[in-house]
Amino acid sequence: MAKIKITQIKSVIDRTERQKKTIEALGLRKINHSVEVEATPAIVGMVRKVNHLVAVENI
């Protein structure tokens, strides 16, 4: 599978609890923190739900 790099670019302050948990589940902690993960359908779905808070790059 392809790998993607996910970077948090906006704060989770004043976001719904569901969005906060999704960011946490992706392994992100703070703004500008990045993680490299496999692009599984589950991960892609989570990224799609918080796409306004993250930046995604193909690796």
Side-chain angles (χ1 to χ4, degrees):
M1 288 215 132
K3 290 193 88 158
I4 57 174
K5 181 178 179 182
I6 307 168
T7 305
Q8 184 177 346
I9 56 170
K10 290 203 172 190
S11 173
V12 294
I13 294 174
D14 205 28
R15 303 293 176 181
T16 64
E17 194 62 34
R18 185 173 182 151
Q19 290 175 354
K20 290 178 185 178
K21 298 263 186 187
T22 303
I23 290 287
E24 184 181 332
L26 287 169
L28 298 169
R29 300 183 182 276
K30 342 172 151 178
I31 295 175
N32 292 326
H33 182 234
S34 297
V35 293
E36 291 182 10
V37 294
E38 294 289 329
T40 63
I43 296 292
V44 172
M46 287 195 282
V47 168
R48 204 174 286 143
K49 288 293 186 179
V50 293
N51 66 348
H52 55 289
L53 302 176
V54 299
V56 181
E57 299 174 33
N58 290 325
I59 297 178

